[in-house]
Amino acid sequence: QGSMDLAWARPYRLDTIPANGPYEYIIYRSPDLLGQSLAQIASFKTASLNDTVWTDTEVNTLNYPWSYSVELYNDAPGNRFLIGSPEVASSLYPRLTGKDNSIEIDMVKNVPWINYDYTVYRRNDSSMEFDSIGFTSQDKFIDEGLTNGLEYCYMIKSTGWRILENGLFENVNISHINCTTPIDSIPPCPPDLNGYSACGEGYNHLHWEYSDNPPCAYDVTAYKLYYSPTSDGTPTVIAEFEDRNDTAYNHFTNGSLTGCYFVTAIDSFQNE
């Protein structure tokens, strides 16, 4: 149930064509970036070219961007024709990707002007207002230092310009509000596994550890220990450990002590 505000520059020098009116605007819309499925959604006739704004209502701005095109016709009786070449421009659509303690924002758009600056706003859950958190001239912005599992909502303001007929045209566009949740999808690095055979007692002793506390292991919460009696066999889980400090195991094989082992680490999001 969103809406899109459209605006366009007032055409000029139409008397040189000549195109003295009256005029008709026809507005087209497509549910994509490139205007591949443009369909007419509105038209209005006017004697004044000062009517250069229109609002499209009840459109889904959450799931995908929209593109628009505006045609201007000289609508004089017996002398109707299209004036100029209509362009296609899309809405600014922030595509969010939740990552580990961060959200990546891609500025998705297809416009015939140059966006030289983006202001990124994030909703303050206390005031419910959108606060500016950064600027970028790139089409990508990464918001870091977030908490996994919490929802964050964003709005983007783009500032752009173009030169037409030696005139500078500037514009500001506001995206819709988009929300997502940072989530850890990266598994932790595995620990170093060592062991020895206690032949008299009939077991293999396994122990594992992280040397130097690498950053890739900061969120380890559990381990799984796998075993196969041969190097080409299918490993099976023989023990699971729910405490990251539980890092040793005696495996009684009830037979040959020859075997292959490996241990995996699991983080709080069950990435193994």
Side-chain angles (χ1 to χ4, degrees):
Q1 301 301 310
S3 63
M4 296 287 301
D5 289 332
L6 297 125
W8 53 90
R10 183 185 186 278
Y12 60 99
R13 297 197 322 191
L14 296 185
D15 56 333
T16 63
I17 298 179
N20 299 315
Y23 307 100
E24 181 181 22
Y25 282 116
I26 300 180
I27 300 173
Y28 299 85
R29 181 184 67 198
S30 181
D32 54 39
L33 276 176
L34 303 178
Q36 296 174 313
S37 302
L38 288 170
Q40 181 178 334
I41 57 172
S43 66
F44 59 93
K45 297 186 178 183
T46 177
S48 169
L49 290 176
N50 292 325
D51 295 327
T52 58
V53 294
W54 190 79
T55 300
D56 190 15
T57 59
E58 296 187 7
V59 291
N60 183 346
T61 58
L62 290 176
N63 291 348
Y64 38 81
W66 295 90
S67 55
Y68 292 85
S69 183
V70 179
E71 292 181 345
L72 173 63
Y73 284 86
N74 187 74
D75 198 36
N79 190 30
R80 178 181 170 86
F81 58 89
L82 176 66
I83 300 173
S85 300
E87 296 180 322
V88 173
S90 77
S91 60
L92 174 61
Y93 186 86
R95 184 172 59 212
L96 309 183
T97 304
K99 298 189 173 183
D100 186 17
N101 297 117
S102 66
I103 292 176
E104 184 177 281
I105 306 172
D106 289 295
M107 318 300 181
V108 178
K109 83 285 183 204
N110 173 47
V111 294
W113 56 83
I114 297 172
N115 286 332
Y116 63 84
D117 184 73
Y118 298 96
T119 306
V120 180
Y121 298 87
R122 187 177 68 206
R123 188 176 67 192
N124 185 318
D125 289 337
S126 298
S127 65
M128 301 307 290
E129 299 292 331
F130 280 84
D131 300 329
S132 171
I133 61 169
F135 305 88
T136 180
S137 60
Q138 306 300 313
D139 290 340
K140 188 184 298 290
F141 182 88
I142 299 178
D143 189 14
E144 299 179 300
L146 307 179
T147 301
N148 287 336
L150 293 182
E151 183 181 67
Y152 295 86
C153 296
Y154 299 86
M155 183 172 63
I156 312 298
K157 179 177 75 175
S158 68
T159 307
W161 66 275
R162 67 190 303 191
I163 294 178
L164 293 173
E165 299 285 338
N166 296 318
L168 177 64
F169 291 81
E170 297 181 290
N171 62 66
V172 172
N173 287 282
I174 306 294
S175 76
H176 74 290
I177 297 169
N178 206 1
C179 305
T180 197
T181 301
I183 184 170
D184 182 2
S185 60
I186 302 173
C189 51
D192 298 323
L193 176 62
N194 295 283
Y196 62 84
S197 296
C199 298
E201 288 78 12
Y203 66 82
N204 289 324
H205 175 77
L206 291 308
H207 62 276
W208 51 93
E209 63 181 354
Y210 286 101
S211 58
D212 302 326
N213 295 317
C216 57
Y218 80 96
D219 59 347
V220 171
T221 60
Y223 305 100
K224 286 184 181 181
L225 182 64
Y226 292 78
Y227 166 75
S228 173
T230 61
S231 60
D232 57 355
T234 301
T236 58
V237 177
I238 58 172
E240 297 186 39
F241 309 87
E242 300 300 326
D243 185 345
R244 69 168 292 152
N245 295 315
D246 193 356
T247 59
Y249 183 75
N250 291 332
H251 181 215
F252 289 87
T253 62
N254 295 320
S256 171
L257 294 181
T258 300
C260 299
Y261 298 87
F262 70 89
V263 64
T264 61
I266 302 169
D267 64 19
S268 56
F269 284 84
Q270 300 305 304
N271 298 305
E272 182 180 3

